[in-house]
């Protein structure tokens, strides 16, 4: 069966992208420049990502604020209009349905962008928990999403952008601010958000206008060293910035508290799905925590590798699991994330990871692996 | 894709330059599959290997793969350049990025290696 294609499929082929299947979508894993160069372009100049496979929906109506307040762990309902909020959707048992970003346009109108692989599940979940006076419109198929990321991203988008507030309004948007804009003549919801650890924008536009937007950004950014970037760079960039990936680091069985996302859980904002379970979890103490680690040995720990304690009896030596890992590109060594018992996760502690039959020492690292200057 | 006609090949996407010894590397097909190579781990010189046995590993940003001995024998030479310059594999997989040189112990294994045409047919199916 042929994979799903984004509106930019032909543009990727024209650039010579290497396409792979990603959750049923045909998406570029890399372009001829290769993942390392694409990654560095985002750290040093500007990169473009086609993330049109992600799901999008509107929640509208007089009950919209009450509905999003109940669905989300963060204070989405209390946000100011024009602000985007990262949040989790939790099950009543505290497990994570998805992590996503809500964009509050007003008390009666919210946009939401969810992970591609979870779109059907999330929209069904939201529909199931819609309050009175709130309607959900799935616009995933009609919406394209282009991320423009890197130190030159904001100036590039601003140069092509217009808002009702006039020229320069996009560059003036704060982090997690968003505005209705036209970029290269294409109507967009322009948000100062991203998944790379760099400054930049994510631009949601009509699917049929996406090729025009993409081409204009490539052309206008040529002098900035703009680089189209595939899924390979997207993953290495997000890992260095310690941004979790659903399906790897988060799933229905992990809780936001275990994942180190307690900052996006507002237990005192009023009731929401999962709140009671998370309060209980907090009171009882966590069984495991998502620890960052660095390996200075010549090895890379990858998804699924076991964290072991060889001092324990046979059969009980596995104490955790690596959920993400890869070589550091803008940081030394190789890096990753692993669920381990909290007692093993102190900063500077040594973890032992079974890398394909070889025990490799890793050092626990707190905070982001890469922080932009 | 076309492959150098003076080399022999394996199902595991390795090439061999067969003479008094066999020089071993990985093919452009393998390089394209792996993407940017970040690490190549090779054994010590003098090491004995058996055909099909893992002799090293190659890692890219996205994945890790084993390298399998294409023939049995003694590892006479190892390309030390690759330890610090794994990117050579992306740049010149049939030249500077050769990996090991094996003194084969069983000529029959060498004779069984794939011809360029047979290997091209194999990769065309993939």
């Amino acid at each position: 069966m042929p994979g799903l294609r984004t509106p930019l499929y032909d543009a990727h082929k024209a650039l010579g992208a290497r396409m792979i299947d990603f959750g049923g979508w045909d998406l570029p894993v890399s372009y001829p420049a290769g993942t390392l160069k694409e990654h560095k372009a985002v750290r040093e100049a500007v990169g473009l990502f086609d993330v049109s496979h992600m799901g999008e929906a509107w929640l509208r109506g007089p009950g919209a604020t009450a509905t999003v307040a109940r669905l989300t762990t963060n204070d989405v309902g209390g946000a100011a209009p024009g602000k985007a909020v990262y949040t989790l959707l939790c099950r009543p048992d505290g497990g994570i349905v998805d992590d996503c970003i809500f964009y509050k346009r007003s008390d009666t109108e919210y946009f939401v962008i969810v992970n591609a692989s979870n779109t059907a599940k999330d929209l069904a979940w939201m529909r199931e928990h819609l309050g009175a006076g709130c309607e959900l419109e799935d616009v995933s198929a009609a919406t394209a999403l282009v991320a423009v990321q890197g130190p030159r991203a904001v100036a590039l988008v601003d140069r092509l952008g217009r808002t009702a507030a006039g020229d320069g309004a996009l560059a003036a948007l704060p982090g997690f601010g968003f505005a209705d804009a036209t970029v290269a003549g294409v109507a967009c919801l322009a948000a100062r958000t991203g998944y790379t650890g760099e400054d930049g924008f994510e631009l949601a536009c009509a699917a049929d206008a996406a090729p025009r937007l993409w081409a204009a950004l490539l052309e206008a950014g040529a002098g900035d060293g703009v680089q189209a970037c595939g899924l390979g760079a997207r993953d290495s960039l997000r890992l260095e910035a310690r941004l979790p990936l659903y399906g790897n680091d988060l799933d229905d069985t992990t809780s936001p508290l275990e994942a180190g996302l307690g900052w996006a859980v507002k237990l005192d904002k009023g009731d929401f799905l999962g709140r009671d379970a998370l309060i209980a979890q907090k009171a009882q103490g966590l069984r495991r925590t998502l620890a960052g680690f660095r390996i200075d040995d010549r090895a890379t720990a990858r998804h699924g590798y076991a964290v072991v304690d060889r001092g324990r009896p046979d059969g009980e030596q596995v104490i955790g699991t690596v959920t993400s890992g890869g070589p550091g590109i803008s940081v030394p060594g190789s890096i990753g994330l692993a669920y381990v018992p909290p007692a093993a996760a102190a900063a500077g502690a040594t973890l032992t990871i079974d890398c394909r039959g070889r025990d490799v020492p890793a050092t626990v690292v707190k905070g982001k692996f890469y922080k932009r200057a | 894709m076309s492959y150098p006609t003076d080399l022999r090949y394996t199902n595991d996407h390795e090439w061999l330059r067969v003479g008094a010894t066999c020089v071993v590397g990985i093919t452009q097909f393998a390089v394209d599959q792996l993407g940017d190579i970040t690490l190549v781990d090779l054994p010590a010189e003098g090491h004995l290997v058996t055909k099909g046995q893992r002799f090293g590993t190659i890692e890219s940003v996205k994945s890790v793969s084993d390298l399998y001995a294409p023939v049995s024998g003694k590892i006479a030479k190892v390309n030390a350049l690759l330890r610090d310059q794994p990117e050579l594999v992306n740049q010149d997989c049939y030249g500077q990025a050769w990996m090991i040189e094996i003194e084969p112990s069983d000529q029959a294994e060498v004779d069984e290696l794939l011809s360029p045409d047979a290997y091209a047919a194999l990769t065309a199916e993939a």
Side-chain angles (χ1 to χ4, degrees), chain A residues 35-36 298 300 302 356, chain B residues 36 40 57 59-60 66 83:
Chain A
T35 298
L36 295 175
R298 284 170 58 84
T300 305
R302 297 180 189 270
R356 294 155 42 88
Chain B
D36 283 332
V40 181
T57 52
E59 300 213 16
S60 67
D66 287 318
R83 186 181 167 86

Side-chain angles (χ1 to χ4, degrees), chain A residues 18 29-30 33-37 231-232 235-236 297-302 305 325-327 329 355-356 358, chain B residues 32-42 54 56-57 59-66 82-84 87:
Chain A
R18 194 175 139 62
V29 64
S30 61
T35 298
L36 295 175
K37 281 194 179 129
L231 293 171
D235 193 49
S236 58
D297 195 351
R298 284 170 58 84
T300 305
R302 297 180 189 270
Y305 288 13
I329 297 174
C355 292
R356 294 155 42 88
R358 183 162 75 93
Chain B
D32 289 348
Q33 297 291 317
L34 290 167
D36 283 332
I37 307 298
T38 54
L39 189 147
V40 181
D41 259 337
L42 298 173
R54 167 175 152 186
T57 52
E59 300 213 16
S60 67
V61 180
K62 281 303 283 177
S63 66
V64 52
S65 306
D66 287 318
L82 297 182
R83 186 181 167 86
D84 294 320
E87 66 276 11

Side-chain angles (χ1 to χ4, degrees), chain A residues 79-130:
Chain A
K83 278 297 250 187
V85 181
Y86 173 85
T87 185
L88 292 310
L89 307 177
C90 276
R91 298 151 34 121
D93 67 3
I96 300 172
V97 176
D98 202 2
D99 68 333
C100 57
I101 295 183
F102 276 77
Y103 303 76
K104 180 172 183 173
R105 198 178 247 171
S106 72
D107 281 335
T108 57
E109 193 170 32
Y110 295 82
F111 190 59
V112 58
I113 301 183
V114 301
N115 281 300
S117 55
N118 288 339
T119 302
K121 177 181 82 166
D122 290 358
L123 296 186
W125 181 258
M126 288 188 226
R127 285 202 171 97
E128 190 182 327
H129 296 282
L130 280 185

Side-chain angles (χ1 to χ4, degrees), chain B residues 93-125:
Chain B
C93 68
Y94 300 115
Q96 285 187 83
W98 65 274
M99 292 179 177
I100 56 171
E101 192 173 324
I102 301 181
E103 288 171 5
S105 55
D106 182 350
Q107 185 58 36
E109 289 175 358
V110 178
D111 295 339
E112 287 167 7
L113 292 165
L114 300 177
S115 68
D117 286 347
Y119 181 67
L122 178 86
T123 58
E125 291 166 18

Side-chain angles (χ1 to χ4, degrees), chain A residues 303-329:
Chain A
H303 180 77
Y305 288 13
V307 181
V308 296
D309 178 350
R310 297 299 183 204
R312 294 164 62 108
D314 277 355
E316 298 172 27
Q317 295 188 341
V318 175
I319 61 164
T321 309
V322 175
T323 54
S324 287
I329 297 174

Side-chain angles (χ1 to χ4, degrees), chain A residues 345-349 363-366:
Chain A
T363 307
V364 174
V365 178
K366 292 288 180 190

Side-chain angles (χ1 to χ4, degrees), chain A residues 48 156 160 183-186 210-222 226:
Chain A
L48 293 190
L156 171 60
L160 298 176
V183 177
V186 173
R212 240 183 331 131
L213 176 65
W214 179 266
L217 288 164
L218 277 181
E219 190 185 331
V226 70

